[in-house]
Amino acid sequence: MENYLTFMVDNTSYAINVNSVLEVLNMTKPTAVPCALSYIEGLIYSREQGITVVNLRKRFSLEEHEADKRTKIIVVEVHTKHEGNENETVILYGLVADSVQDVIQIYEEERIDDAECSIPKEFISRTLKYDEKPLFILDFKKLFEEHAKLSSLTIQNS
């Protein structure tokens, strides 16, 4: 059995393992970061930690959507290792979702191989059937790979 936090982006259901989720915040305007990747909205601070805010609509190349009262920031912790460095880096990301649904328990994985999704398949680790609908589980490694590499280069050059 695994627990997942489900959320919506562009009327599609996505999920992430709750073990990666630190908190869910109401949408707040991030502080812009110069020269950031196009899908990075900026930085916010919560619990005295900096959080890189990722606009999932931009990351998935979807039509932009004005934030409203249902828009949330899902704060996740991503652990990465880089070639030539045995140390693990922990980066906090805030995922901007159109809405957050529920925490669900999946007892038996019923995988779906042919579900249609409007985002690149590389960002999906697997697709499960939940409530007779496809539920796309995000692959953090691929989703943040580009940003994590840039962050580690910045840290190494400091």
Side-chain angles (χ1 to χ4, degrees):
M1 173 187 73
E2 289 190 79
N3 293 319
Y4 292 93
L5 176 69
T6 61
F7 58 95
M8 300 288 288
V9 176
D10 197 38
N11 296 317
T12 302
S13 294
Y14 297 94
I16 49 180
N17 193 300
V18 295
N19 293 331
S20 299
V21 178
L22 297 179
E23 62 186 326
V24 176
L25 304 170
N26 289 324
M27 184 63 190
T28 183
K29 184 163 177 56
T31 302
V33 177
C35 304
L37 296 166
S38 63
Y39 55 85
I40 302 294
E41 292 290 310
L43 291 174
I44 60 170
Y45 291 89
S46 179
R47 300 180 191 192
E48 299 182 10
Q49 292 185 300
I51 301 165
T52 302
V53 178
V54 174
N55 182 321
L56 288 177
R57 283 180 167 272
K58 287 181 182 178
R59 184 67 175 122
F60 297 157
S61 300
L62 299 170
E63 184 178 318
E64 291 195 46
H65 178 276
E66 194 69 34
D68 58 28
K69 65 181 180 185
R70 295 179 42 208
T71 306
K72 302 291 181 192
I73 298 175
I74 305 165
V75 180
V76 297
E77 187 175 73
V78 178
H79 299 261
T80 58
K81 283 190 176 184
H82 303 286
E83 290 179 37
N85 186 353
E86 72 259 4
N87 295 331
E88 190 174 70
T89 304
V90 177
I91 302 175
L92 300 183
Y93 290 99
L95 309 178
V96 179
D98 294 346
S99 65
V100 171
Q101 306 309 118
D102 296 308
V103 172
I104 61 170
Q105 294 179 333
I106 297 181
Y107 295 97
E108 268 185 55
E109 287 192 4
E110 188 174 340
R111 291 181 183 244
I112 303 173
D113 294 325
D114 59 350
E116 295 220 7
C117 187
S118 58
I119 72 169
K121 291 197 183 294
E122 69 195 51
F123 296 141
I124 300 169
S125 65
R126 62 192 188 279
T127 305
L128 306 177
K129 186 182 226 179
Y130 183 78
D131 231 4
E132 299 305 313
K133 296 177 192 158
L135 179 64
F136 301 98
I137 311 300
L138 292 183
D139 182 341
F140 283 158
K141 186 174 182 180
K142 291 286 185 188
L143 192 63
F144 303 120
E145 186 174 55
E146 183 180 20
H147 183 263
K149 282 181 184 175
L150 289 173
S151 295
S152 74
L153 289 173
T154 303
I155 292 167
Q156 288 173 4
N157 293 330
S158 296

